[in-house]
Amino acid sequence: MYMSIAELVSASMTQHQPVYELMIAQEMATSNCTREEVWHTMGRNLDVMEAAVKKGAAGDGVYSTTGLTGGEAVLLKKYRQTGHTLSGDVMMQAVQNAISTNEVNAAMGVVCATPTAGSTGTLPGVVFALQDRLDLTRDQMIQFLFTAGAYGMVIANNASIAGATGGCQAEVGSASAMGAAAAVEIAGGTAEQSAEALAMAISNLLGLVCDPVAGLVELPCVKRNAIGVSNALIAADMALAGCTNKIPADEVIMAMDKVGKGLPRALRETGLGGLAATPTAIRMEEKIFGKAQAKA
Amino acid sequence: MTVNYKSVFDIIGPIMIGPSSSHTAGACAIGRAANSIFKDKPTEIVIHYYESFAQTHKGHGTDYAIISGVLGFDPDDSRVPYAIGLARDQGITITFIEEAGDSPIKHPNTAIVDLENDSKKVTVAGCSIGGGTIEIREIKMDGFDIKPKGPLPILLVQGGENDHQNVTKQLADLTKVNDQQRYQTARGNMYEYDLDRRLKHEEITKLAENHTTMVYL
């Protein structure tokens, strides 16, 4: 099992294999499954992602039962149709995909948690935008997910992917890093460039807190996935341009772990600090649950 | 370093009903573990929440998720959001308790599940470590107080030295046993095996042929 980004990059370089192939081989060995079985399972995950990307942006969109989130993927879709977005259509398509997926999640719809449900829109946001941008086949999109998974496993086993342990940097930060690394590979970059993209993506989101309003995975979670996808694409582009993070990826992951452990409990998925502790958030919580829970 | 995430599908997955992998899918997994241990229909379910689980269980759908797990549902089962009503329709009493203190198993996402009926009672302490992955850190069943390190999969087998030899031999063909422990009471032994990889359905079925009371988590 690959325990560090350095090991993963070195294996990819010396064996002349893309990271997705290394991941598939490792999965076959650890699960005692055939290549067809693991490929099929990943394909199902891709299908679930695609369904959520489409569902949130179709018709009038989806809305959560609390009414705090929903319908904004549709707003983005209509805005994109004007052709005058500031950040360009690839970026805004990625953002729309991410928001759409997380709106489905907040509405208790079916999603594929990547790596978590709170950060579930980031990876689909990237891969379905790149599908159009790079004309990706279904097989290439499945490869993208194996690559993202390989990098994500290293992050999860060395740091954390839980908001309650590491803050949102552990969720959207990890998802963004996985997306950045996989985007580099699918665009033809090297594993070393993937590692740089991962390192830059995490570095950019280091310290991001987990402060869900009323303890719901809605505000600010849904829109944090917009920053997750955009950060992933920007980090991937920087790495493909030859920019480097200077601090190696494995050290960045260790830093994220330490930052997470140092965050006060109020900022680790307790709904007690950050945006969750604002007067408006407390009013929302009272309206939804009838009474305010004690605030730290 | 503890390796909790052993499969790429722990990271890309699970497919689940929202909104939270740690507080919904993970809670469902803790409920499912309790269900696998209890192996029967409970008449009473008591859930103790600690720390982040205590603070945010309502908003995260943790209540219906953990009950759906106790009922044996998968995290992507469309009945997950309705699990509490379905359980109460079966006459099951359900209580949720927000505990004020720190988690006794030292994790912010902790739930302790008590399941009971006329013939038995079990207690399962689990924590949800992120992305739907869980650890089980304490199990009280049949007079045993089992304290695993946490990471799954875990195999529990009751019996004597013969059963232990037999299981060890079968496991040797399947996977590495990372850790094992024996618990003793006047009624007999319980063997705990922490396995290196998840077993496939047919492998579990084969193991269970000779060990009908076996628990695989």
Side-chain angles (χ1 to χ4, degrees):
Chain A
M1 195 173 277
Y2 298 100
M3 293 305 195
S4 70
I5 302 295
E7 277 177 46
L8 201 54
V9 169
S10 147
S12 173
M13 297 304 219
T14 54
Q15 296 173 33
H16 304 288
Q17 294 269 3
V19 167
Y20 70 82
E21 281 296 351
L22 303 177
M23 185 69 250
I24 292 169
Q26 179 180 299
E27 188 65 26
M28 287 165 61
T30 55
S31 66
N32 198 21
C33 287
T34 64
R35 186 183 177 91
E36 288 66 33
E37 283 169 324
V38 299
W39 188 266
H40 175 78
T41 304
M42 195 59 95
R44 255 186 79 225
N45 286 340
L46 182 70
D47 293 342
V48 168
M49 290 179 197
E50 184 169 26
V53 159
K54 287 186 173 157
K55 187 177 177 189
D60 295 330
V62 295
Y63 295 82
S64 69
T65 50
T66 63
L68 294 185
T69 53
E72 296 193 323
V74 174
L75 290 182
L76 288 161
K77 185 171 141 186
K78 287 180 181 160
Y79 175 62
R80 280 177 55 213
Q81 286 163 358
T82 65
H84 297 296
T85 66
L86 301 179
S87 17
D89 201 53
V90 175
M91 186 64 80
M92 289 318 291
Q93 185 183 358
V95 168
Q96 177 194 312
N97 294 343
I99 298 285
S100 180
T101 304
N102 277 80
E103 285 182 343
V104 168
N105 180 59
M108 297 193 297
V110 179
V111 296
C112 176
T114 51
T116 68
S119 59
T120 189
T122 298
L123 217 50
V126 174
V127 74
F128 286 99
L130 292 182
Q131 179 188 21
D132 290 351
R133 178 74 185 86
L134 300 175
D135 228 351
L136 300 181
T137 62
R138 180 179 153 83
D139 281 1
Q140 285 176 300
M141 294 169 81
I142 292 172
Q143 291 164 2
F144 176 99
L145 295 181
F146 276 110
T147 304
Y151 287 102
M153 277 181 85
V154 174
I155 299 171
N157 281 322
N158 284 284
S160 163
I161 52 168
T165 318
C168 193
Q169 55 162 9
E171 299 205 23
V172 167
S174 299
S176 189
M178 291 157 55
V184 165
E185 183 172 280
I186 211 75
T190 65
E192 277 170 324
Q193 287 174 317
S194 281
E196 292 298 337
L198 177 144
M200 287 188 275
I202 296 182
S203 298
N204 291 353
L205 294 179
L206 212 58
L208 192 62
V209 302
C210 180
D211 51 352
V213 170
L216 298 157
V217 193
E218 300 203 40
L219 306 176
C221 319
V222 172
K223 289 194 184 69
R224 288 230 172 111
N225 281 270
I227 208 65
V229 281
S230 47
N231 183 53
L233 289 170
I234 292 163
D237 266 335
M238 286 197 284
L240 289 165
C243 304
T244 55
N245 193 57
K246 311 300 189 283
I247 310 290
D250 289 306
E251 292 183 40
V252 171
I253 292 169
M254 291 307 163
M256 181 173 89
D257 190 39
K258 279 189 185 155
V259 168
K261 286 178 175 144
L263 285 175
R265 190 181 283 186
L267 300 174
R268 284 186 283 114
E269 206 169 355
T270 51
L272 297 174
L275 293 173
T278 58
T280 302
I282 291 166
R283 278 198 298 277
M284 287 171 170
E285 184 172 2
E286 282 170 353
K287 202 173 155 202
I288 295 162
F289 294 117
K291 64 175 177 65
Q293 292 164 20
K295 294 286 163 191
Chain B
M1 179 173 66
T2 314
V3 178
N4 269 301
Y5 299 91
K6 294 170 180 171
S7 162
V8 68
F9 301 114
D10 296 335
I11 304 296
I12 312 293
I15 295 171
M16 57 169 282
I17 305 278
S20 167
S21 47
S22 55
H23 291 58
T24 318
C28 178
I30 292 171
R32 283 174 63 87
N35 170 277
S36 303
I37 292 160
F38 199 65
K39 291 181 187 269
D40 199 357
K41 198 182 133 185
T43 51
E44 185 166 1
I45 305 173
V46 180
I47 311 287
H48 306 261
Y49 291 129
Y50 294 85
E51 302 186 36
S52 176
F53 266 24
Q55 299 287 353
T56 67
H57 64 103
K58 284 182 198 154
H60 280 84
T62 311
D63 296 352
Y64 62 73
I66 202 160
I67 301 302
S68 74
V70 172
L71 296 179
F73 298 172
D74 286 323
D76 63 342
D77 191 312
S78 58
R79 295 171 297 175
V80 166
Y82 312 105
I84 294 174
L86 292 170
R88 289 197 168 129
D89 289 348
Q90 295 176 34
I92 303 172
T93 313
I94 302 171
T95 314
F96 298 103
I97 302 172
E98 293 170 5
E99 301 285 359
D102 287 353
S103 158
I105 57 167
K106 298 180 171 51
H107 194 280
N109 295 334
T110 292
I112 299 184
V113 182
D114 297 327
L115 301 183
E116 196 171 351
N117 65 15
D118 288 345
S119 53
K120 57 181 163 177
K121 179 177 178 175
V122 305
T123 295
V124 180
C127 53
S128 182
I129 63 162
T133 297
I134 62 161
E135 289 191 2
I136 297 296
R137 295 189 184 172
E138 188 167 9
I139 301 161
K140 289 180 184 162
M141 62 182 290
D142 299 336
F144 295 101
D145 187 0
I146 303 158
K147 291 187 173 164
K149 285 205 175 104
L152 306 185
I154 296 169
L155 185 70
L156 300 173
V157 176
Q158 285 196 54
E161 181 61 28
N162 278 352
D163 296 284
H164 170 56
Q165 298 288 352
N166 196 343
V167 170
T168 305
K169 197 161 160 255
Q170 275 186 280
L171 286 175
D173 295 333
L174 296 173
T175 184
K176 202 169 95 201
V177 176
N178 289 329
D179 197 27
Q180 62 180 58
Q181 287 192 73
R182 184 178 66 157
Y183 303 87
Q184 276 181 296
T185 69
R187 289 167 56 189
N189 297 320
M190 170 75 77
Y191 295 92
E192 174 206 330
Y193 308 88
D194 296 358
L195 309 182
D196 198 49
R197 73 163 173 91
R198 228 163 279 160
L199 300 183
K200 297 171 87 168
H201 181 71
E202 57 267 30
E203 294 169 339
I204 299 165
T205 314
K206 192 143 191 297
L207 267 171
E209 279 172 9
N210 300 322
H211 307 281
T212 47
T213 60
M214 169 188 115
V215 172
Y216 173 82
L217 301 174

